[in-house]
Amino acid sequence: MPPARRTAPFCSASCGGLADAVYGFPRGPTSDIPGGVDARSLSLPVMPSGAAIPMDAETAATYGLTLRGDARAHGLFDRFGRAHTYLRISVTERCNLRCRYCMPEEGVQLLPKDHLLSFEEIERLAALFVRLGVRKIRLTGGEPLVRRGIDDLVARIGALKAHGLERLMMTSNALLLREHIPALLRAGMDAVNLSLDTLRPERFRRVTGREGCEETIAAIHAAARAGFRKVKVNAVVMKGVNDDELVDLARAFARELPIEMRYIEYMPFEGNGWGEELEMFPAASIRGRLEEQLRLEARGLNDGGAGTAQMYDAFEKDGRPFQGQIGIISSMTEPFCGTCNRTRLTADGHFRWCLLDEGEIDLRAPLRAGATDGDLAGLIEQGLRSKRAGHAPAAVLKETQKAAGPTHARSMIRIGG
Ligand code: SF4
């Protein structure tokens, strides 16, 4: 291992080589990154990016992006200058539901326990990402609340608010939520996204393979009363399955309560039957269906334009306003990659820079082999240097996943959304 790396914690060129060194890391100080680095204030040295995937300006342009050259492929910036300040951490591959759009009917082969990151490892990586510039962390799964000791883990991540973390959120199916609400709030949880695709128990059973519709609805209402900064309900819309319930869902949660009702275009993932057993209901049709009975006023992409949802104020036709907003997440037909600020850490410790790209770098093995934070930061940068301007068209994604199969392509439950 070239000793030079020790003095230049952020030398991405060598970090690239590092990955091939099969992690023969000399045991050294665990962190050589000065505390409180704000990636947004870093002056970025120009770095060659040997193995970076060539990006055609045309694809980039379709996303309103300009290839800014290698200089930006550092810290949490990608080569298009997008700052990745939002990290989604999957804390488990287990779930107490079997949603058809999330995993293969036969379920997924769960990884051995020791393949999953421990609390200490999640905490260390989260702290590193925060020092690199992450300001928002979302905990996902599988279903995060089935992870034993989850309240303790949330408290550990919440403590990073003293070191630059600004927002802590969770995505959950809400089935276990009510008993965890007090601990989540104590730990600094700001917002929860709760999954519910239907208000009808028998349809819930068909989509999720389990009972729980009433408990989920009760938990959503409990969350709305609990004092979170934000409560959102996410429904994945599937043609001929729940597209006839869109207005009912909006009226159930967003009319009388300040809950955001969001509709998600069904996306292709390994083994989720996209375009075969189940069909996507595109954003334009979702809008059309809602506007049959409601009036929508567009408010643009959420999260200051870097979000995933197109937001709308909603009104009944007689003018009565909704307390909560409507959101439509249109990854497939109206993608929002141009302002993407998201990356992911999978439950088994892989850094994934795009939801819809199978590209990943394993952080778990080097971490367990004694890598320093500088080494890990180098691997994170290497990953971001590979980030494309946007995702491939759905048909290409589907073919890629099929060719890769369950060994090399991840189902949604193994990414965490
Ligand atoms: S598909 Fe990838 S690049 Fe596009 S918004 Fe999602 S994570 Fe970002």
Side-chain angles (χ1 to χ4, degrees):
M1 189 66 53
R5 190 165 51 74
R6 297 237 131 266
T7 53
F10 269 157
C11 170
S12 60
S14 64
C15 297
L18 197 60
D20 309 327
V22 202
Y23 315 125
F25 296 100
R27 292 198 169 277
T30 53
S31 176
D32 52 12
I33 296 182
V37 170
D38 182 342
R40 292 165 293 188
S41 63
L42 281 175
S43 55
L44 300 170
V46 172
M47 285 293 177
S49 58
I53 297 177
M55 304 264 179
D56 63 277
E58 209 180 306
T59 314
T62 57
Y63 288 99
L65 292 171
T66 316
L67 201 52
R68 302 199 187 181
D70 304 311
R72 310 295 292 181
H74 209 95
L76 291 175
F77 292 88
D78 66 16
R79 298 194 322 142
F80 302 96
R82 294 176 292 195
H84 294 77
T85 54
Y86 181 1
L87 177 69
R88 297 183 176 195
I89 303 178
S90 169
V91 299
T92 181
E93 296 184 336
R94 290 175 182 279
C95 187
N96 45 4
L97 291 179
R98 292 286 176 276
C99 302
R100 294 171 59 195
Y101 51 77
C102 178
M103 67 163 86
E105 202 133 8
E106 66 280 9
V108 292
Q109 180 64 46
L110 290 174
L111 290 171
K113 196 160 182 311
D114 66 352
H115 283 217
L116 298 182
L117 293 180
S118 67
F119 284 10
E120 291 71 23
E121 291 167 335
I122 295 173
E123 188 181 6
R124 177 175 164 198
L125 287 170
L128 170 60
F129 276 101
V130 169
R131 281 207 298 281
L132 289 172
V134 158
R135 292 293 166 263
K136 275 175 43 170
I137 288 180
R138 174 177 299 285
L139 301 179
T140 68
E143 167 50 39
L145 295 175
V146 304
R147 175 116 190 210
R148 194 171 303 152
I150 184 71
D151 295 344
D152 170 29
L153 177 59
V154 175
R156 291 174 185 230
I157 308 294
L160 293 174
K161 286 189 170 182
H163 304 286
L165 183 66
E166 290 165 5
R167 268 197 280 154
L168 178 58
M169 297 97 65
M170 179 181 276
T171 297
S172 165
N173 63 30
L175 280 179
L176 302 172
L177 181 67
R178 289 202 277 181
E179 63 193 89
H180 289 274
I181 288 178
L184 296 179
L185 288 168
R186 271 197 308 277
M189 184 66 69
D190 296 294
V192 286
N193 285 28
L194 306 174
S195 311
L196 182 69
D197 311 306
T198 173
L199 298 167
R200 305 178 192 171
E202 88 292 343
R203 192 175 271 179
F204 183 98
R205 259 190 308 278
R206 277 208 308 281
V207 172
T208 68
R210 299 283 187 280
E211 302 293 339
C213 189
E214 298 83 354
E215 174 54 33
T216 307
I217 295 171
I220 291 169
H221 287 285
R225 293 190 298 273
F228 290 107
R229 279 171 57 180
K230 205 162 244 296
V231 174
K232 306 176 184 179
V233 174
N234 287 350
V236 174
V237 185
M238 297 153 280
K239 192 174 179 188
V241 174
N242 60 344
D243 61 86
D244 59 352
E245 269 191 272
L246 305 186
V247 175
D248 299 342
L249 283 161
R251 285 179 173 148
F253 298 116
R255 188 166 65 181
E256 325 297 342
L257 292 164
I259 293 177
E260 210 173 275
M261 182 66 228
R262 299 155 25 118
Y263 304 96
I264 303 177
E265 274 186 347
Y266 169 40
M267 293 175 271
F269 288 100
E270 201 291 312
N272 76 349
W274 192 89
E276 292 158 0
E277 294 100 41
L278 294 170
E279 253 192 85
M280 178 181 72
F281 194 71
S285 305
I286 293 172
R287 256 189 310 275
R289 186 61 54 84
L290 290 167
E291 287 177 326
E292 285 167 7
Q293 298 181 52
L294 306 176
R295 181 165 61 80
L296 301 181
E297 286 181 7
R299 293 284 173 263
L301 268 183
N302 69 322
D303 211 10
T308 57
Q310 299 176 37
M311 302 307 299
Y312 301 85
D313 289 342
F315 305 81
E316 289 290 355
K317 293 285 184 187
D318 63 10
R320 277 174 298 147
F322 278 43
Q323 298 307 309
Q325 285 192 304
I326 301 283
I328 298 178
I329 299 174
S330 53
S331 318
M332 292 290 99
T333 60
E334 299 159 12
F336 34 79
C337 304
T339 54
C340 182
N341 63 352
R342 294 164 295 281
T343 61
R344 290 160 176 85
L345 182 64
T346 64
D348 55 342
H350 285 215
F351 174 57
R352 189 176 174 112
W353 41 91
C354 170
L355 175 64
L356 292 165
D357 183 331
E358 297 302 336
E360 295 178 1
I361 287 183
D362 178 8
L363 298 180
R364 184 193 72 217
L367 183 149
R368 291 180 180 176
T372 66
D373 283 3
D375 302 323
L376 297 169
L379 293 171
I380 292 165
E381 287 155 19
Q382 190 184 324
L384 272 173
R385 246 199 338 262
S386 316
K387 183 159 183 164
R388 299 171 192 272
H391 65 76
V396 177
L397 288 172
K398 194 115 180 85
E399 284 320 303
T400 315
Q401 291 157 1
K402 230 185 219 154
T407 320
H408 300 295
R410 285 184 188 252
S411 53
M412 172 61 115
I413 192 168
R414 299 198 57 228
I415 303 169

